Amino acid sequence: MSTKVPSESRPIAPTPQWLQALLLLVPAGVWLALLLVIPTLLIFELSLVPNIKPGDLVNPSGLGNYWRIFQSDVLNVIGRSLLFATGTTLLCLLMGFPVAYWIALLSPKRWRNLLLLAFVLPLWTSSLLRSYAWISILRPTGVLNTLLTSLGLPTLDLLNRSPAVFIGMTYSLLPYMVLILYASLEKLDRRFLEAAADLGATPPQAFWKVTVPQTLPGIAAGSLLVFITGLGDFINPELLGGTSSMTAARLIYNQFLGATQNWGFGSALSMVLILAVSLAIALLIKYGDKNASSL
Amino acid sequence: MTSMADLTRLHLSRSRRRFLQTSIAGLSGIALSSCGWTLAKVQTDQVRQGASDELHVYTWSNYVDQELIDAFRSQTGIKVISDVFDSNETMLATFQAGKARTYSIIYPSDYKVSQMVKLGYLSELDHSRLDGLQNILPRFQKSVHDSGNRFSVPVSWGTTGLIYNSEKLTEPPTDWNYLWTHKDKLTRRLTLMDDVREVMGAVLRSLGYSYNSTDLQQIKQAYEKLQELKPAITTFTTDAWRDQLLAGDLSIAMGYSADAVNVINQNPKLKYVIPTSGTSLWSDTMVIPKTAPNPDAAYAWLSFMLQPEVAARVTERLFFATPNQAAFNQLPDTLKNNVTLFPPQNLLDKAETVAPLDKSILELYEKYWTKLTSS
């Protein structure tokens, strides 16, 4: 607090370790307990009540809500969510890696921060606005098709189909992937690349045997972040996906705010999503590179 | 009138401070008791007294304007603070999350009134304090959702129908079945509403059944008929069809008359049609919650809104259909003859209100909807 150095330096009694831990952890701990742990436990309790809606007494009575998840239409919805999230992750990785590589290793150093900033700039506008922009671009008489027609090319009917969802989601999540890969690539020890070249490795060999393994933790962290965020995205599928775009997130929304108001089933679905995501993170911690913790 | 786009739009406009307030209020909304807890309980027995010269109104975006607020203030001296919601579900969730003690007047739609009555949130209206209630059209005095206006005063009503671009269709639609007979020409050029009951109801009606069918066989038949139409449907949206309909990307959109009126006012080439086999009739109402901090001001507002002069002027300004016969009589002829706002009697006779159904039947509707939107 004070910048003045006390003229008489008295020996200060060391704070006991348990007190230090308490002081440092309590604010975040209380926050997490109030806004994460307790709500999650409440959702879990709700998931055990069949057919609960606002105003009902919470009276846990079994796993009925969980069995419903195994109905074919619900599995179908979960499958579609996984497909959207996985496809988006792969697209982000394929497009994000070259960009991050170029910014981190090849671009002029003084431009680097500006380039990164330019890449993150779209995140400053709301994601909903960006989805609406894609509607204007992709619709049958939209920007894209006007351009294609003026070039004498055949038009593309993308809006309200799965490709539009992939485009919208990839666009939304690409900056996150690039930022994380950039952080990883920036730390790349180039002496290994020089050594590889000295020992006769071709550039592609050096890339696959040196660059990729060294950035693997970044790739894993970036992919996980994009996958998890993609799994919970319902704006893009909803606005761009057309008639067959029901995702797990939207199905949960329907249970809470739709016609039937089945909060129990909605909670069970939420728990399954929370578990799936937790499992993915646990796997990353267990098998991911320990050095990745700095990311 | 639910729409996902609207919901997300609302979330964006929410400031962080307001979000925190709502979260904290949400925590306090959980009532613990010795035998467990009740989900989102609203304590209706503890009423906070609000400032007597202030009235907080929770309404849809197009129902209250500054002119109305000023007129009310000059008549009563009460200052109106209005907040808007964009779906009944958002309104109820906000109400349950701790805003119950803020608002003295809320504008739920008809079906939400019956839900809120069941939950015990609404106070029974003292009709002796409401002059002009007898001017409400009989149809809306005996609504299935609140017969006799015991809890709610209707403020606006409308129908569900088809909005189409008259320059793009050679033969204009007249009934729901038009969609099936022309489905090959309509491939990916049609939007239906993002609402199970409205869409399934329309299909049931096109089969000659009721909007509120509880017959398992009829509901299944409607689902199969809807599945047949799927190649023509490009997406399910309640109100995001406007630009694409104008540009010609879409030929027909299913929507509420209230949305249609606004769009047609700006683009006369768009037309609205009420299907001849029957449509749904909805109304939005005004209610006083039991938790209202200022019930006296709330009654003043209801009486004010029931004045034919006030209701007529606000209908002219904001283009919604008033259920007040005395107000209707004061409207200029152009509005009286606007068939989108005030459809002819023969079509209204065939209209139904989307009624509350048993939970098990609703689950069936929802199940078919999930099937339809996930296959």
Side-chain angles (χ1 to χ4, degrees), chain A residues 80 141 159-160 244 257, chain B residues 89 188 230 234 249 374-375:
Chain A
R80 175 167 300 105
T141 55
L159 185 63
N160 293 324
S244 295
L257 296 173
Chain B
E89 286 63 36
R188 291 171 60 70
K230 220 177 155 191
T234 181
D249 295 343
S374 67
S375 61

Side-chain angles (χ1 to χ4, degrees), chain B residues 225-278:
Chain B
K225 186 171 178 183
L226 192 54
Q227 190 77 44
E228 240 176 80
L229 190 64
K230 220 177 155 191
I233 311 168
T234 181
T235 193
F236 295 101
T237 175
T238 301
D239 52 14
W241 33 258
R242 184 186 171 141
D243 292 343
Q244 294 194 64
L245 199 59
L246 277 171
D249 295 343
L250 294 173
S251 302
I252 305 182
M254 173 188 181
Y256 289 118
S257 54
D259 292 326
V261 164
N262 278 318
V263 178
I264 293 170
N265 267 337
Q266 290 160 32
N267 308 281
K269 66 177 179 182
L270 296 184
K271 303 266 186 258
Y272 177 77
V273 62
I274 296 176
T276 49
S277 59

